[in-house]
Amino acid sequence: MEQGTAEQQPHTGARLPAQAASAVPHGARPAAPDPHVPRQQPQRHSVRGQILAALRQALTAGELAAGEVYSAPVLAERYGVSATPVREAMQQLAGEGAVEIVPNRGFRVCERSPRDLAELAEVRTMLEVPAIVRLARAIPPERWEELRPLAEAGVTAAAHGDRAGYADADHAFHQALIALTGNRRLTQVTGDLLRRTQWPAGGTRRRTADLLADASEHTALLDALIAQEHAVAERIAREHLSAARHLH
């Protein structure tokens, strides 16, 4: 059983999206199940998904601090839900390398070193750059233009210093780009790698200027792809995914 006195609580900025918060009112006991009504399993999965999204945003924003231990009951109280979807979301984050299980206490947010980030950037470069190069010669310019709203959303979030919002926009842009390959496995793997690069290392937080630099490269990459400047597109992609960019 997790000990409530030994854990750190998340900062007050961590909030559950409205859909999940309304699913289980804070402080309310769930009604006794009606034996004549089938269990609503999809709703539980929906709450878990909302919790997972909220925890990812908290990680990206640095609201869940590296090295700190958080228990499912404490987080559940904070988000106004039961502990079960929180545990399930934390288990998934453990599988993704964001947290690690601490027996009888909860989950510790993993601390990542510059080497960790450099290795992630190297793997992403190996996978994404060749894919972009192949797509550059196969995708017509109008298809690339469809990604413009995603790139612009990233610029807007970065300009406001919204780290969690930029992380979501960044993930959406790269997922949509790689999805054009039609390779679902590649899209899944690169998406997971990107998530791992977005969690601050050692409690550091990327500056707004760094976010804007990243976001502007999305638009520059699209411009090069639309103009069919293949060499320029490859250079921008390599610089965008470089290890040095993610060490700050």
Side-chain angles (χ1 to χ4, degrees), residues 229-247:
E229 297 175 344
H230 302 152
V232 174
E234 180 178 0
R235 175 181 57 79
I236 293 173
R238 288 190 181 279
E239 292 177 354
H240 182 66
L241 298 170
S242 70
R245 172 64 53 81
H246 299 281
L247 296 182

Side-chain angles (χ1 to χ4, degrees), residues 214-235:
D214 271 2
S216 66
E217 287 180 346
H218 289 166
T219 57
L221 176 61
L222 286 182
D223 290 341
L225 291 167
I226 291 169
Q228 298 184 316
E229 297 175 344
H230 302 152
V232 174
E234 180 178 0
R235 175 181 57 79

Side-chain angles (χ1 to χ4, degrees), residues 5-177:
T5 59
E7 301 109 6
Q8 301 290 328
Q9 294 192 17
H11 297 282
T12 56
R15 289 291 183 270
L16 181 66
Q19 299 96 314
S22 62
V24 185
H26 178 64
R29 291 181 176 273
D34 187 336
H36 301 290
V37 178
R39 291 185 178 180
Q40 297 181 356
Q41 194 73 4
Q43 181 177 352
R44 187 171 72 83
H45 288 314
S46 176
V47 174
R48 180 182 62 187
Q50 294 292 335
I51 289 290
L52 179 61
L55 290 172
R56 279 175 170 160
Q57 289 182 351
L59 284 166
T60 302
E63 294 167 359
L64 296 180
E68 297 293 340
V69 177
Y70 300 89
S71 77
V74 168
L75 291 173
E77 178 69 18
R78 177 67 63 183
Y79 292 135
V81 298
S82 69
T84 297
V86 175
R87 287 194 185 93
E88 292 172 344
M90 279 294 203
Q91 290 284 354
Q92 181 165 338
L93 289 172
E96 296 174 3
V99 302
E100 59 184 5
I101 299 172
V102 181
N104 301 319
R105 292 186 62 195
F107 302 85
R108 178 183 290 112
V109 178
C110 293
E111 298 187 68
R112 294 170 306 122
S113 66
R115 177 176 178 176
D116 294 328
L117 291 175
E119 290 176 348
L120 287 167
E122 183 177 10
V123 176
R124 286 189 67 201
T125 300
M126 290 176 177
L127 293 175
E128 292 191 46
V129 172
I132 292 172
V133 170
R134 292 196 303 271
L135 288 170
R137 302 181 183 280
I139 300 296
E142 58 269 20
R143 292 292 305 278
W144 293 119
E145 193 62 49
E146 294 174 4
L147 273 62
R148 183 76 64 180
L150 297 176
E152 292 175 349
V155 172
T156 299
H160 288 86
D162 181 359
R163 291 168 178 80
Y166 176 71
D168 287 342
D170 186 33
H171 191 267
F173 176 84
H174 282 273
Q175 286 290 92
L177 191 158

